[in-house]
Amino acid sequence: MKSGEYTMKVNDNCVGCGQCTAFCKLDAIEVRGKANMTAACIDCKTCSAYCPVKAIEA
Amino acid sequence: MKAIIIGSGLGGLLSAAKLSQSGYEVDVFERLPIVGGRFTNIPYKGFQLSTGALHMLPHGPTGPLAQLLEEIGVNVEIVRRKPNVVIRIPRKRGDTDYKYGHKDILFEDFRTQFSLLNRIKLIYYIVSTRKNPPTGQSFEQWCRKHLDQDWTYRLSDAFFGWALSLKAADVPVEEGFAIIENLYHYGGPGVPMGGCKGITNALVNVIRSNGGIIHTSSEVSSLITEDGKVTGVIAEGKEYNTDIVLSDIGHPATSKMIGEETGILGMDKYAHNAAELKPSAGIKICLSSDKTLIGHGGVLLTPYAKRVNGINEVTNVDPSLAPEGKHLTMAHQCVHWNDMDNLEKEIQLGLEDLMDIFAGKEYEVLLIQSYSNDWPVNRSPSGADLKNKTPIPNLYVVGDGAKGKGGIEVEGIALGVKNSMQDLLIK
């Protein structure tokens, strides 16, 4: 299970375009109206660079 | 002469390609690691999904975008297949959904669904509205006065929902008729081979072969202005000088970048008008299936669905957009501004629609993508676009925040770029 040690956060800028999930190598982001990191997230921060609205805060 | 382009979306790349071809030294700055904005492909589970657009040009191989690409020397095959546009209606007249079966009619035959009286009126309006185009109301208001029938509202909401991600009530009647006129003038949709990226990649090649530079992961943080003109930009802490700037980030962000304290004439009004623009929102549901779901390479309009406006299945034209033996189908639905807070419900309604539309067929939902606010369907709702100029004479805005009149989506972007180029290259 995902615990508090993970630091990736999706802020209110997120529109749910899914660009992050397409570039996530671990398939760790669920998108439905908004992106959500799942337990598979390892905080690699790759997705953050691809977000067009600066919604993923590392 | 030097040109700087902020943003590598379709508008930015078209401008950069055209300017580089005309002898400008071009630098494109893109904040993201990838080029193409909302008009490129993203690989996902072996499919070529898209960052925004639905791998389709509204006016296909003969529209403003195709014409501009040809002018720039970009060779991309854009394929228009018959049937072009098909409308799905309930099997039984009087039904208001697809629950008890459906039948598909060709777009050309939309008249058959009108009452006899409205069919006669329509013949008259086709001539009279060309002579005296109606003004000062929404498309829906015009319909209420002239063709008051359930079919009129359903069809116009499906059409404008698909084409503009707007309800007919939010489309100014002038823009609505300009779009219909363009549909007859330029013809129906087509699929670029290779999807959106087929076009943006080809543009990148043109820019590079003309010596232009595309800087990815490079954010422009500010403009340098002098005596009311822009003389350079600052990107990633470095200063770049320029003669002109084209901004592909929309009017509101451009106006913020100019800032308020510049003393530039007309800035107050510009900032105010830019802030008034309401981006259009929408949801795209991407489906995977083994067997074809709609069976053709055109558009399927769904005026009797609760939310879904239209669907395409681009793999009927370019099978390489999906893994071998699979189809890629994309459904689009407009999200009205009032429903923005309830996106989850809108998505649910869209998924329910697809179950009705494709009853008895097998498919899998690949990805649900929604677009609004700072990453919208259109930065400016069609019909409300500000033109390409800004209060700074050598700073232009291009892209879906500054589309040309009557131009649907990327066609409007092409028209806006054409208008800007006419200005700049004559100067």
Side-chain angles (χ1 to χ4, degrees):
Chain A
M1 278 302 290
K2 186 165 175 169
S3 67
E5 65 193 271
Y6 295 103
T7 51
M8 303 292 283
K9 273 202 183 76
V10 181
N11 68 29
D12 284 346
N13 287 355
C14 178
V15 301
C17 74
Q19 207 147 294
C20 52
T21 190
F23 289 97
C24 175
K25 290 181 176 65
L26 294 165
D27 203 11
I29 310 173
E30 279 169 5
V31 181
R32 192 170 163 132
K34 199 183 170 184
N36 277 302
M37 308 298 162
T38 66
C41 173
I42 56 157
D43 273 353
C44 73
K45 300 180 178 64
T46 304
C47 55
S48 163
Y50 290 94
C51 175
V53 290
K54 297 186 182 177
I56 308 174
E57 295 170 14
Chain B
M1 292 278 273
K2 284 184 177 178
I4 282 176
I5 287 90
I6 307 173
S8 73
L10 182 65
L13 291 178
L14 284 168
S15 308
K18 179 72 189 166
L19 289 169
S20 71
Q21 187 200 41
S22 312
Y24 275 81
E25 263 176 65
V26 169
D27 278 286
V28 181
F29 293 95
E30 169 55 53
R31 186 158 64 76
L32 299 184
I34 53 166
V35 166
R38 281 162 288 149
F39 202 77
T40 189
N41 301 4
I42 37 176
Y44 187 71
K45 297 183 177 169
F47 291 81
Q48 293 294 319
L49 302 188
S50 90
T51 49
L54 281 82
H55 294 321
M56 201 168 231
L57 311 192
H59 298 304
T62 47
L65 176 55
Q67 286 175 16
L68 183 57
L69 289 170
E70 202 183 321
E71 193 185 306
I72 299 170
V74 170
N75 263 324
V76 183
E77 199 188 347
I78 298 156
V79 179
R80 182 189 282 148
R81 285 273 171 83
K82 279 187 176 173
N84 233 223
V85 184
V86 169
I87 311 171
R88 183 156 292 188
I89 59 173
R91 182 165 13 210
K92 251 181 42 223
R93 229 172 230 262
D95 274 3
T96 53
D97 57 38
Y98 301 117
K99 287 219 161 41
Y100 303 100
H102 61 255
K103 58 181 177 183
D104 291 344
I105 62 166
L106 291 173
F107 187 75
E108 299 86 287
D109 296 331
F110 76 93
R111 292 176 184 83
T112 59
Q113 302 303 304
F114 279 115
S115 66
L116 180 62
L117 176 64
N118 278 343
R119 263 180 277 166
I120 295 166
K121 281 186 183 173
L122 199 63
I123 296 167
Y124 167 74
Y125 291 139
I126 286 170
V127 180
S128 70
T129 54
R130 269 200 173 154
K131 259 191 193 160
N132 298 305
T135 55
Q137 55 199 306
S138 75
F139 193 84
E140 193 214 22
Q141 282 170 322
W142 184 88
C143 291
R144 288 213 181 276
K145 276 180 231 156
H146 298 87
L147 288 165
D148 188 19
Q149 194 181 327
D150 184 50
W151 175 242
T152 319
Y153 310 123
R154 286 186 182 274
L155 183 62
S156 53
D157 274 342
F159 175 75
F160 289 119
W162 169 262
L164 313 177
S165 216
L166 292 175
K167 285 184 170 289
D170 296 315
V171 178
V173 71
E174 298 87 336
E175 183 70 8
F177 275 96
I179 282 167
I180 294 167
E181 183 70 34
N182 278 346
L183 209 59
Y184 284 103
H185 178 69
Y186 292 120
V191 174
M193 295 307 276
C196 299
K197 198 175 184 175
I199 289 177
T200 37
N201 248 4
L203 286 168
V204 166
N205 290 341
V206 168
I207 296 163
R208 291 200 174 131
S209 70
N210 289 328
I213 301 168
I214 300 171
H215 311 255
T216 49
S217 302
S218 292
E219 181 172 12
V220 171
S221 53
S222 58
L223 300 173
I224 306 163
T225 54
E226 215 179 288
D227 300 329
K229 287 184 110 186
V230 55
T231 57
V233 306
I234 295 173
E236 303 298 320
K238 252 180 92 180
E239 204 177 305
Y240 295 84
N241 295 328
T242 189
D243 296 295
I244 55 169
V245 172
L246 284 103
S247 163
D248 190 23
I249 61 174
H251 281 290
T254 304
S255 119
K256 277 183 201 144
M257 201 176 270
I258 299 171
E260 282 165 23
E261 318 265 304
T262 53
I264 291 165
L265 207 68
M267 250 328 275
D268 286 354
K269 195 177 168 219
Y270 175 62
H272 175 81
N273 289 344
E276 292 278 288
L277 292 171
K278 284 200 286 184
S280 57
I283 295 167
K284 176 173 59 173
I285 302 178
C286 307
L287 307 178
S288 148
S289 63
D290 292 335
K291 288 183 187 154
T292 172
L293 292 177
I294 73 172
H296 57 83
V299 178
L300 178 71
L301 291 177
T302 52
Y304 288 85
K306 293 185 288 274
R307 287 297 187 275
V308 170
N309 303 125
I311 305 171
N312 70 11
E313 192 172 47
V314 288
T315 39
N316 290 317
V317 178
D318 184 354
S320 77
L321 295 169
E324 212 180 315
K326 293 275 184 189
H327 276 284
L328 171 62
T329 301
M330 292 179 284
H332 176 81
Q333 62 191 84
C334 152
V335 177
H336 191 262
W337 296 296
N338 295 342
D339 299 321
M340 279 300 301
D341 293 336
N342 231 331
L343 215 49
E344 176 57 35
K345 186 185 148 210
E346 294 299 301
I347 290 170
Q348 190 53 39
L349 290 169
L351 291 169
E352 286 171 19
D353 278 341
L354 293 172
M355 282 194 264
D356 286 345
I357 294 165
F358 298 132
K361 301 206 172 190
E362 276 184 39
Y363 61 86
E364 188 194 327
V365 176
L366 273 171
L367 189 62
I368 300 165
Q369 298 173 279
S370 46
Y371 298 88
S372 61
N373 299 327
D374 285 341
W375 202 241
V377 176
N378 273 203
R379 291 194 191 277
S380 161
S382 290
D385 290 79
L386 301 177
K387 293 216 163 67
N388 304 91
K389 287 184 180 175
T390 69
I392 297 180
N394 61 339
L395 169 65
Y396 280 67
V397 172
V398 291
D400 67 338
K403 300 181 292 301
K405 193 178 171 229
I408 302 173
E409 307 276 351
V410 291
E411 307 291 4
I413 293 177
L415 290 173
V417 169
K418 252 182 168 166
N419 293 339
S420 309
M421 291 304 132
Q422 247 158 22
D423 259 34
L424 286 165
L425 295 174
I426 286 166
K427 269 185 193 170

